[in-house]
Amino acid sequence: MEKIKRTFVIDLLKSADYGKNVCVKGWVRTKRGNKNVIFIAVNDGSTIKNIQIVADASKFDENLLKRITTGSSVCVCGVLVESQGGGQAVEIHAATIEIYGTADETYPLQKKGHSMEFLREIAHLRPRTNTFGAVFRIRHNMAFAIHKFFHERGFFYFHTPIITASDCEGAGQMFQVTTLDLKNIKKTSNGDVDFSEDFYGKPANLTVSGQLEGELAATALGLIYTFGPTFRAENSNTPRHLSEFWMIEPEMAFYEIDDNMQLAEDFIKYCIHWALDKCSDDIEFLCDMFDKELIDRLNFVIANDFVRLKYSEGIKILEDAVASGHKFEFPVYWGADLAAEHERFLVEQHFKRPVILTDYPKEIKSFYMKQNEDGKTVRAMDVLFPKTGEIIGGSQREENFEKLKKRAAEMNIPDKDIWWYMDTRRYGTVPHSGFGLGFERLILFVTGMANIRDVIPFPRTPKNAEF
Ligand code: ATP
Ligand code: MN
């Protein structure tokens, strides 16, 4: 048979071109059969589904058939046939089989049902499982939907730096970037490290957020978003924290807090809608395997308005719950930073819907948030989700130069670090707002996976940077 162009499995499974000669390339998931006929399930990554290859044993070299094992890679050409067996619409009756690479009995993915923990230890191979294939296809689709959402609304994708010499976001511990010889550190006369010898001539770090630079862009281009990796060196070993994660940070000139909330709600709903629409096979698989309520939960979020609630009202609800006997691990009082258990109580037990919590005490939020008239709270907004908890953190920004300067001083942020940021308030300042969505938190929600380490290809967490 002459060489024919390869078709993706996803297209073959939709095809009704029975009798057509086709060619498929992929990895063998299973092989079974008897001495007369062999069935090979091939997956090429284009879809969670496999295509079944039927090989007449008498037509092939016995040795070749023996070398086709789980994990090996093949090119199969043959005739597309309407399937007789249940479970699939079409199959390929093989005319030629070529093996690219064999996989012997040491291949770790021989059988199904490995634990997530074990699969993390073989993160270099786990994309070949159904679960991780599904998660990573969904992850791609979410990234695409995010760009599409913003592009359609006139936002510009703006690139903020990964390496930064300013440490004023206050979002967490930073990773230092240096080319100094750590075995031979030069000190200044008063005993400090001499950073004048370092690559940038001063201390530098990996960014924890692109927001401050994003504001520079929004006060020029109007509507912008960033979408890039961020790094936090905090030692939080939870199922919701990574030390390297991706963040989407839109920043909008002339948006006030209500516009900001509406955008956040529309944005998340758009992404979930996209996932249900474009990734239905993968989501159905994950729903069956891990989380029977997944699809209902996704539909529910799309169908219902998010609750808008002031922090002070939230505290009242939590205090009432405590008064009527509900036990929390952490104390509830006005001024407390809410713990995950408090957020989940509001979302899952009290409102049973996503909640946008606003107007937090200024002491527990960043210097740049717009100060309310009461002198106590700032125009912050956190979007809280069932199961996942906080998915978005944002605020209206303080646009008043004097107020911002005073707050920065109170929080000990040196002017030498933020003079450039202050210039947006010095020259043509405008009301503006923005937020940060943790990409992996969104993927957690959409896939129903339980641990954030399982929604990023190569997770980075304390004491773990393998692969
Ligand atoms: P959390 O309270 O959950 O630790 P945060 O308040 O420190 O988060 P922000 O600084 O508000 O987080 O960051 C914006 C968004 O980035 C969060 O709403 C969350 O979705 C995501 N995010 C923050 N820290 C992490 C992390 N370590 N790993 C993954 N995503 C994160
Ligand atoms: Mn936050």
Side-chain angles (χ1 to χ4, degrees):
M1 213 162 76
E2 69 191 276
K3 275 262 174 202
I4 24 183
K5 222 177 133 226
R6 164 203 186 192
T7 312
F8 290 120
V9 172
I10 192 169
D11 297 322
L12 287 173
L13 294 178
K14 282 188 235 151
S15 164
D17 282 339
Y18 309 128
K20 191 182 171 193
N21 279 321
V22 296
C23 168
V24 66
K25 300 182 179 188
W27 294 267
V28 173
R29 283 293 169 81
T30 57
K31 185 180 81 171
R32 61 194 172 80
N34 51 43
K35 61 182 191 317
N36 302 318
V37 59
I38 309 286
F39 300 99
I40 308 161
V42 171
N43 187 282
D44 70 355
S46 62
T47 162
I48 193 150
K49 294 181 176 152
N50 305 325
I51 186 133
Q52 171 154 282
I53 311 294
V54 183
D56 181 344
S58 65
K59 286 202 205 140
F60 293 93
D61 174 43
E62 197 183 327
N63 253 322
L64 177 107
L65 292 181
K66 239 188 234 153
R67 289 165 62 231
I68 299 171
T69 55
T70 296
S72 60
S73 48
V74 293
C75 170
V76 179
C77 298
V79 184
L80 193 71
V81 176
E82 191 170 8
S83 185
Q84 303 304 311
Q88 66 271 326
V90 294
E91 57 193 31
I92 297 174
H93 287 188
T96 66
I97 302 178
E98 184 190 334
I99 299 177
Y100 290 113
T102 55
D104 66 14
E105 67 287 347
T106 63
Y107 181 61
L109 298 171
Q110 297 290 351
K111 50 180 177 40
K112 292 181 178 159
H114 296 296
S115 73
M116 288 295 129
E117 290 75 15
F118 172 73
L119 291 173
R120 267 172 232 146
E121 285 166 23
I122 53 162
H124 60 304
L125 290 173
R126 67 180 183 168
R128 291 199 197 178
T129 63
N130 282 332
T131 298
F132 286 92
V135 169
F136 297 143
R137 276 185 297 272
I138 292 170
R139 192 178 159 105
H140 158 78
N141 272 282
M142 289 296 87
F144 186 81
I146 286 163
H147 285 299
K148 192 161 151 47
F149 175 87
F150 286 120
H151 181 74
E152 283 170 355
R153 283 159 187 75
F155 284 68
F156 298 105
Y157 180 26
F158 190 76
H159 296 101
T160 51
I162 305 281
I163 297 175
T164 159
S166 75
D167 175 14
C168 48
E169 226 289 58
Q173 289 293 107
M174 301 181 100
F175 286 101
Q176 192 162 353
V177 176
T178 181
T179 53
L180 289 178
D181 178 0
L182 296 183
K183 288 191 225 75
N184 182 21
I185 303 253
K186 267 208 223 141
K187 300 276 176 74
T188 59
S189 50
N190 55 12
D192 296 336
V193 174
D194 182 7
F195 283 103
S196 68
E197 301 269 306
D198 204 352
F199 194 89
Y200 297 104
K202 56 181 168 181
N205 299 291
L206 295 178
T207 185
V208 292
S209 159
Q211 181 202 317
L212 300 188
E213 292 90 349
E215 287 186 48
L216 308 180
T219 52
L221 299 168
L223 304 173
I224 67 96
Y225 68 106
T226 73
F227 187 173
T230 47
F231 307 87
R232 297 192 185 175
E234 58 207 331
N235 200 351
S236 35
N237 259 306
T238 81
R240 308 185 306 130
H241 289 90
L242 294 162
S243 57
E244 174 182 304
F245 63 99
W246 289 65
M247 188 140 67
I248 298 95
E249 295 181 278
E251 198 65 43
M252 298 74 67
F254 311 109
Y255 269 48
E256 308 221 3
I257 187 77
D258 289 326
D259 310 307
N260 203 20
M261 287 194 270
Q262 195 57 49
L263 182 76
E265 181 169 347
D266 293 347
F267 172 50
I268 303 193
K269 286 182 172 174
Y270 182 95
C271 292
I272 295 174
H273 218 283
W274 187 271
L276 284 167
D277 203 31
K278 310 287 179 194
C279 311
S280 51
D281 288 348
D282 289 325
I283 289 183
E284 276 163 29
F285 171 82
L286 295 171
C287 189
D288 278 353
M289 283 290 287
F290 299 105
D291 182 353
K292 297 281 186 278
E293 279 142 38
L294 174 62
I295 293 176
D296 289 344
R297 200 183 307 118
L298 297 177
N299 280 315
F300 182 83
V301 166
I302 296 178
N304 289 282
D305 292 339
F306 296 4
V307 175
R308 282 140 170 82
L309 184 77
K310 288 193 165 35
Y311 169 91
S312 301
E313 298 163 20
I315 289 292
K316 240 182 252 138
I317 293 170
L318 293 168
E319 282 173 342
D320 287 350
V322 171
S324 53
H326 193 93
K327 295 261 180 297
F328 291 113
E329 188 183 341
F330 296 99
V332 178
Y333 57 94
W334 198 95
D337 204 353
L338 296 187
E341 56 171 349
H342 305 131
E343 298 176 347
R344 293 188 66 159
F345 180 86
L346 291 173
V347 172
E348 293 170 11
Q349 306 210 38
H350 190 81
F351 290 105
K352 301 191 164 60
R353 273 198 276 162
V355 173
I356 311 183
L357 205 57
T358 62
D359 302 283
Y360 284 74
K362 64 178 190 222
E363 284 73 23
I364 57 172
K365 290 292 181 185
S366 306
F367 77 98
Y368 50 70
M369 296 190 180
K370 185 172 174 67
Q371 298 157 34
N372 281 322
E373 298 296 312
D374 62 12
K376 292 194 299 195
T377 59
V378 289
R379 242 169 254 184
M381 60 165 226
D382 279 9
V383 181
L384 312 176
F385 258 42
K387 231 185 141 188
T388 316
E390 180 186 327
I391 189 162
I392 281 180
S395 70
Q396 183 169 342
R397 318 305 189 191
E398 180 56 73
E399 82 267 22
N400 180 288
F401 178 81
E402 293 302 333
K403 284 187 184 169
L404 184 61
K405 195 174 160 183
K406 185 156 167 282
R407 191 72 191 130
E410 280 167 13
M411 294 177 82
N412 298 317
I413 297 165
D415 194 56
K416 71 166 183 27
D417 282 351
I418 51 162
W419 64 270
W420 48 272
Y421 179 72
M422 295 303 297
D423 269 3
T424 54
R425 277 65 166 175
R426 212 175 254 127
Y427 307 118
T429 191
V430 294
H432 64 289
S433 300
F435 61 79
L437 167 79
F439 188 47
E440 286 75 19
R441 298 262 176 103
L442 174 69
I443 310 296
L444 266 182
F445 186 74
V446 170
T447 59
M449 299 297 282
N451 194 310
I452 201 163
R453 292 165 179 82
D454 299 328
V455 296
I456 187 166
F458 303 103
R460 298 291 180 252
T461 51
K463 299 282 180 292
N464 169 37
E466 193 71 32
F467 312 110

